[in-house]
Amino acid sequence: MIQAHVLSGDAGFLKRIRSGVFSGSVHSLFDRTINLHCREKEELFTIACVELDNGPNTLVTDRKRFQDLGIAVGDPVFVRDGELFIGQALALSWQQAKRWECKLPAYPVTDQKLRANVAVMKEYVAAHGKPGGLKKASSPVNAFEAEVSSLLGARTSQLYQSLALGRWSEACELAIGLVGLGPGLTPSGDDYLAGLFSVYHLPNAPCCLPYPFFEKFARETGQRTNEISYMMIKKAAVGHVRESIVSLLQAAIEGTAEEVIRSLDKVLSIGSSSGTDMTMGLISGVELQLETGGNVCLSKS
């Protein structure tokens, strides 16, 4: 049995295991993450290696990797004697773990700095973002990749226009149509939406969406993508996103150009093109706030 320590974690996840109310099984295993299915809550929770950032339903440990530990999909997960056991291979202690909560920064009273920083982000993504998802590759691997990239561009553009016009019912259908579209464990359409939604949940954001938008979105997308990606967009739909996205929003709102680029580099390093796709969604969200901030983004339809 390997012993490891939780360094930090989602406050709700820590509260759950501290109360002893957590049991389930290993859902999936990767080099840097272990996903757990929680029987009590019917949600996925994640055990992450030390290199990853905090996030919803996530515990960050002092482990560098999780491969070759003897853990298998379906292994039981349970709390006992102050430790979280994953099969018969790994025991996690959490007594010294730091609590993390997703606290999005407030939208600024004046937007000059935000406008300038969004311009910095767009230029940086154009130069350093990873292609293959929303950012078109200069030389697509094949015709299918080129078609998917074009489809992503068209659908995100349609969604942007619907949101700009305040047609939330139409926009919700378009957002649902993006789910599951694109390459990756978390498809590009899902990543884009996670970034977009984070902006709409900023406290004091001038442009908002009604509760039924997110309620319908969460209700109708569960079968359109894989469980891991669904958990990401389900949480984003209530304003819960990973720490690196929060830090990027904070830098965009009040930081210098250098601080924005440092935060942006961390997001762009996520996955293959996931970080780039999230950033493009976040940029779209900010631009919508800047363009339509004087109006309430609610549809009459």
Side-chain angles (χ1 to χ4, degrees):
M1 177 74 68
I2 295 173
Q3 301 286 324
H5 299 280
V6 177
L7 302 178
S8 60
D10 175 73
F13 193 173
L14 285 171
K15 181 179 179 181
R16 181 171 290 277
I17 59 175
R18 280 171 176 156
S19 69
V21 185
F22 193 98
S23 64
S25 59
V26 174
H27 171 274
S28 49
L29 173 67
F30 300 94
D31 190 29
R32 301 197 296 171
T33 57
I34 304 170
N35 294 303
L36 315 175
H37 179 265
C38 177
R39 184 175 297 114
E40 293 82 10
K41 197 168 173 61
E42 290 295 325
E43 283 190 352
L44 293 186
F45 289 74
T46 300
I47 308 300
C49 76
V50 67
E51 298 172 358
L52 301 183
D53 56 330
N54 288 300
N57 286 14
T58 299
L59 300 180
V60 177
T61 72
D62 59 358
R63 291 286 307 175
K64 292 184 178 180
R65 293 290 184 270
F66 294 117
Q67 295 284 28
D68 303 320
L69 298 184
I71 299 171
V73 171
D75 279 354
V77 176
F78 54 93
V79 175
R80 188 180 65 201
D81 300 330
E83 292 185 308
L84 177 65
F85 289 86
I86 302 175
Q88 300 299 315
L90 181 63
L92 299 172
S93 60
W94 62 79
Q95 285 69 26
Q96 304 302 316
K98 295 180 180 179
R99 293 172 69 257
W100 175 82
E101 293 183 75
C102 177
K103 293 184 178 179
L104 293 167
Y107 194 86
V109 176
T110 57
D111 61 22
Q112 291 91 335
K113 183 179 285 289
L114 181 58
R115 287 182 183 276
N117 283 337
V118 166
V120 170
M121 290 168 63
K122 290 181 72 173
E123 183 177 350
Y124 197 80
V125 170
H128 303 285
K130 298 177 183 177
L134 276 156
K135 184 181 179 184
K136 290 187 176 182
S138 56
S139 300
V141 175
N142 50 49
F144 178 75
E145 180 185 288
E147 179 62 25
V148 169
S149 183
S150 295
L151 193 56
L152 281 164
R155 290 191 180 179
T156 52
S157 178
Q158 290 169 347
L159 173 58
Y160 187 100
Q161 292 303 316
S162 291
L163 289 170
L165 294 171
R167 298 174 178 167
W168 78 261
S169 183
E170 176 182 276
C172 187
E173 295 297 335
L174 289 166
I176 291 169
L178 267 173
V179 175
L181 181 62
L185 177 63
T186 55
S188 297
D190 301 13
D191 291 322
Y192 176 89
L193 291 170
L196 177 73
F197 290 167
S198 69
V199 180
Y200 275 91
H201 285 285
L202 295 179
N204 303 326
C207 185
C208 60
L209 287 166
Y211 173 75
F213 177 102
F214 294 110
E215 182 186 45
K216 180 179 180 180
F217 176 85
R219 184 177 65 247
E220 297 190 13
T221 52
Q223 303 302 313
R224 298 180 69 98
T225 191
N226 65 74
E227 289 184 78
I228 296 170
S229 195
Y230 176 64
M231 280 306 304
M232 175 187 70
I233 53 176
K234 178 184 176 183
K235 291 295 184 180
V238 294
H240 295 169
V241 293
R242 58 197 297 170
E243 187 176 26
S244 53
I245 293 293
V246 177
S247 297
L248 178 56
L249 284 166
Q250 188 79 54
I253 289 168
E254 61 182 31
T256 64
E258 291 76 17
E259 289 169 335
V260 169
I261 289 173
R262 281 199 297 270
S263 293
L264 184 51
D265 273 331
K266 293 180 181 178
V267 176
L268 293 181
S269 69
I270 298 171
S272 178
S273 66
S274 285
T276 299
D277 297 327
M278 287 180 196
T279 301
M280 292 176 74
L282 186 152
I283 290 171
S284 291
V286 172
E287 288 185 325
L288 281 161
Q289 298 292 333
L290 293 171
E291 290 175 16
T292 59
N295 304 306
V296 179
C297 283
L298 298 182
S299 175
K300 297 178 181 178
S301 60

